[in-house]
Amino acid sequence: MANPIESAQGLNVDQSELQKFADLAHKWWDKNSEFKPLHEINPLRLDYIDSHASLSGKKVLDVGCGGGILSESMSERGADVTGIDLGEKALKVAQLHRYESGVKVDYRLISVEDLANEAPESFDVVTCMEMLEHVPDPAAVVRACANLVKPGGKVFFSTINRNPKAYLFAVVGAEYVLNMLPRGTHEYAKFIKPSELSSWVRAAGLDVIGFKGLGYNPLTKVYKLNDDVSVNYILQTVK
Ligand code: SAH
């Protein structure tokens, strides 16, 4: 059998994107590291997902789960969580961290497209957060997520909008002024407009329920969910 990374090379993956996360992998659970923003937004997105999808008892797939920040927290809310990623190091960190936190999450090194072929319509809820802006063909990831969710199930996406304000906040502000993220973490051209994501979602057979903005106030350093989708945003959909 081919090793997973070899088989990943023909897939919808950008190795340089995976490498960015591999270089930082040992820091996934360091809340003061480059992953601080993900730790800080996690309670907000978790509450949003839980309030719209009632996680307890649900079979949930977390696509591009990284070190497991969202996966673990959904498991703590009583969901039966599978986390997938093509970053081997991130998954190792995620697997080890389960022992520290005592949560049960099933982590797998598999592409979302392969899992969609293997287990279509087998999840009540699918989450795909902060990942679409790192893949060559995000619409294909959206299609795979739509295949994986059961009819009536919810799929949540989050990503970064593409406009001058998003460039200013997500690239210049976060990477160059506040040094929250390593330079080169995000590529402006890969950012995704809500209209683009909506059209991919609808073409994949999902209905748009609504958008939420994820705002950051650099002065108070506080994140909030709001209705301003101009930078970071979450999209809730249903099949
Ligand atoms: N969803 C997590 C992590 C976001 S970071 C969270 O929000 O907390 C982006 C993640 O996407 C990284 O773990 C990276 O390894 C993963 N990734 C990038 N390209 C990918 C691909 N083509 N397939 C699967 N995972 C990918």
Side-chain angles (χ1 to χ4, degrees):
M1 213 177 81
N3 99 29
I5 291 304
E6 268 169 28
S7 69
Q9 273 166 2
L11 298 178
N12 181 14
V13 61
D14 180 338
Q15 292 296 339
S16 69
E17 290 284 351
L18 287 188
Q19 193 57 46
K20 288 178 196 171
F21 291 99
D23 291 343
L24 296 172
H26 56 291
K27 297 190 183 168
W28 270 105
W29 287 94
D30 176 351
K31 291 184 178 164
N32 289 313
S33 72
E34 291 84 347
F35 293 112
K36 183 176 181 170
L38 292 180
H39 285 281
E40 293 196 335
I41 63 174
N42 199 55
L44 298 173
R45 61 192 188 177
L46 173 67
D47 281 346
Y48 179 73
I49 294 164
D50 200 10
S51 69
H52 292 279
S54 307
L55 288 169
S56 183
K58 296 279 165 65
K59 208 164 171 265
V60 178
L61 176 69
D62 188 19
V63 176
C65 62
I69 297 171
L70 179 65
S71 303
E72 280 204 4
S73 65
M74 293 194 292
S75 169
E76 280 164 356
R77 293 277 173 102
D80 171 9
V81 182
T82 299
I84 62 169
D85 202 289
L86 288 177
E88 238 172 330
K89 284 191 177 170
L91 282 183
K92 288 220 170 88
V93 170
Q95 277 159 346
L96 281 176
H97 197 263
R98 287 178 308 190
Y99 298 107
E100 202 169 307
S101 49
V103 302
K104 201 177 139 285
V105 176
D106 181 23
Y107 289 112
R108 293 185 61 190
L109 184 73
I110 184 170
S111 73
V112 65
E113 292 91 344
D114 283 350
L115 188 61
N117 288 328
E118 182 188 304
E121 303 204 329
S122 50
F123 294 92
D124 301 303
V125 179
V126 175
T127 57
C128 178
M129 316 303 268
E130 316 301 328
M131 182 259 199
L132 293 174
E133 70 275 18
H134 299 286
V135 301
D137 183 359
V141 173
V142 170
R143 280 195 299 277
C145 290
N147 285 337
L148 281 155
V149 76
K150 295 176 190 171
K154 297 256 170 100
V155 186
F156 296 86
F157 299 98
S158 76
T159 190
I160 305 174
N161 202 338
R162 193 176 68 257
N163 58 50
K165 183 178 168 192
Y167 180 71
L168 198 67
F169 274 70
V171 180
V172 179
E175 296 180 14
Y176 289 84
V177 180
L178 302 173
N179 292 314
M180 291 160 78
L181 298 175
R183 293 177 186 185
T185 297
H186 286 119
E187 282 172 45
Y188 178 70
K190 289 188 174 161
F191 292 176
I192 299 166
K193 293 185 177 176
S195 57
E196 293 163 342
L197 186 52
S198 298
S199 71
W200 300 338
V201 153
R202 280 194 286 265
L206 299 170
D207 289 332
V208 169
I209 296 184
F211 286 92
K212 269 289 167 196
L214 195 59
Y216 180 67
N217 181 331
L219 299 176
T220 58
K221 299 190 176 163
V222 172
Y223 291 89
K224 273 208 175 94
L225 282 191
N226 56 31
D227 292 317
D228 175 5
V229 298
S230 58
V231 184
N232 215 192
Y233 64 91
I234 302 177
L235 170 61
Q236 180 191 169
T237 70
V238 65
K239 178 153 158 183

